[in-house]
Amino acid sequence: MRTLLVIGIGAGNPDHMTVQAIDGLNRADVLFIPDKGAKKNDLAELRRQICDRFVTNPNSHRVEFDVPVRAEPAPSYRSTVDDWHEAIAEIYEGLIRDELVEDGCGAFLIWGDPSLYDSALRILERVRLRGNVAFELEVIPGITAVQALAASHKMALNRIGDPVLITTGRRLTEEGMPQNAGSAVVMLDGKCAFNTIADKDLVIHWGAYLGTPDEIIISGRLGDVGAEIERTREEARKKKGWIMDTYLLRKRE
Ligand SMILES: C[S@@+](CC[C@H](N)C(=O)[O-])C[C@H]1O[C@@H](n2cnc3c(N)ncnc32)[C@H](O)[C@@H]1O
């Protein structure tokens, strides 16, 4: 039976790699590296650097594969994502069937942690349900962008006894600051959704390229720093060609 390791590699700093993740990389015969196009080449490059630095198994090799670009969400976000996942499942199935021998071990290197806004586990479940290739699955956790944000701002995610909600920029725009959330962490926000929040007295702790040499962090009262974050974000995005940012919102103490 083939074995697949789904390895969290951390959120951009190779030092985020855990001992368990390094051991996993070295158990694999094949390391699968996704290529998400020229704009996101830096992300594939970090995976290559991680392999260069940590892989000592001389018998393993890397297989790079193209990830199809998701269509614009129409008619509905869910059906677009569904079609996109089906296309990726087909690619994963081909990789597992063609690149791994019957008892081989392959590793997928997942940004941050596989449990957080990442679809690899869902897509591999689709592959399993298609019934054409059988495999055992192991998941190795990684450091998420949320943990990197908390560390860079030297803050706890929750206030004492309060909940923390992790959401997306799209949901924040649609639903506003979640009531009863205590603290809300926002990911996948391409449009500065914090600007749509009416309560400008909230505190925001924002971070881009967390854990990398290009890291930028800004925090303060939303009404005071919102415009600065938007400007900084746009400048950085233009300069680098891409940006990944995450932020936490909550009431001031
Ligand atoms: C597809 S999700 C992947 C999350 C990842 N699985 C994790 O555990 O952090 C991508 C989002 O994660 C956040 N993100 C990932 N890496 C980041 C980084 N180094 N700095 C800031 N945000 C990051 C951004 O909100 C980005 O839009």
Side-chain angles (χ1 to χ4, degrees), residues 8 10-13 16 36 40 43 84 110-119 142-149 167-169 185-190 206-212 215-216 233 242-247:
N13 182 347
H16 287 173
K36 298 187 176 177
K40 296 202 171 159
L43 308 190
W84 184 48
I110 305 297
W111 198 266
D113 182 81
S115 70
L116 186 65
Y117 289 119
D118 188 278
S119 295
I143 290 179
T144 68
V146 179
Q147 291 159 289
L149 178 78
T167 187
T168 65
V185 176
V186 183
M187 304 178 77
L188 292 161
D189 180 4
W206 176 83
Y209 315 112
L210 291 159
T212 78
E215 175 173 300
I216 315 168
R233 186 184 190 283
W242 61 276
I243 190 160
M244 282 207 292
D245 58 337
T246 302
Y247 53 90

Side-chain angles (χ1 to χ4, degrees), residues 8-9 14 41 45 58 69 103 105 115 119 168 241 249:
I9 60 166
N41 190 37
E45 193 46 42
V69 178
D103 59 350
C105 176
S115 70
S119 295
T168 65
L249 290 168

Side-chain angles (χ1 to χ4, degrees), residues 39-229:
K39 272 192 180 166
K40 296 202 171 159
N41 190 37
D42 289 0
L43 308 190
E45 193 46 42
L46 184 96
R47 288 178 170 90
R48 290 185 201 110
Q49 279 172 25
I50 283 176
C51 291
D52 289 346
R53 178 165 157 196
F54 296 113
V55 175
T56 50
N57 173 1
N59 299 320
S60 73
H61 68 277
R62 300 175 204 174
V63 171
E64 302 215 0
F65 63 99
D66 292 332
V67 179
V69 178
R70 196 187 72 204
E72 284 304 311
S76 84
Y77 182 73
R78 267 186 198 282
S79 70
T80 311
V81 170
D82 198 57
D83 292 347
W84 184 48
H85 283 180
E86 193 56 27
I88 302 176
E90 198 150 331
I91 294 170
Y92 277 19
E93 185 179 292
L95 291 171
I96 298 164
R97 185 191 56 228
D98 301 338
E99 302 291 346
L100 287 180
V101 295
E102 199 46 54
D103 59 350
C105 176
F108 286 92
L109 282 68
I110 305 297
W111 198 266
D113 182 81
S115 70
L116 186 65
Y117 289 119
D118 188 278
S119 295
L121 292 174
R122 267 185 293 272
I123 293 170
L124 286 169
E125 189 51 27
R126 270 179 192 254
V127 176
R128 188 199 300 285
L129 291 174
R130 288 159 71 108
N132 300 323
V133 281
F135 51 84
E136 298 279 357
L137 197 64
E138 284 181 40
V139 178
I140 298 178
I143 290 179
T144 68
V146 179
Q147 291 159 289
L149 178 78
S152 291
H153 283 282
K154 304 177 179 67
M155 65 178 177
L157 287 177
N158 64 293
R159 295 249 168 82
I160 297 172
D162 261 359
V164 180
L165 181 110
I166 303 178
T167 187
T168 65
R170 194 169 60 90
R171 296 294 288 258
L172 189 73
T173 303
E174 285 170 7
E175 293 159 18
M177 179 69 185
Q179 300 301 311
N180 309 323
S183 305
V185 176
V186 183
M187 304 178 77
L188 292 161
D189 180 4
K191 296 186 178 162
C192 296
F194 52 79
N195 278 333
T196 63
I197 299 293
D199 183 356
K200 301 297 178 203
D201 274 331
L202 292 179
V203 172
I204 182 167
H205 295 281
W206 176 83
Y209 315 112
L210 291 159
T212 78
D214 297 317
E215 175 173 300
I216 315 168
I217 55 169
I218 297 176
S219 62
R221 186 181 157 270
L222 184 56
D224 296 337
V225 298
E228 180 193 349
I229 293 173

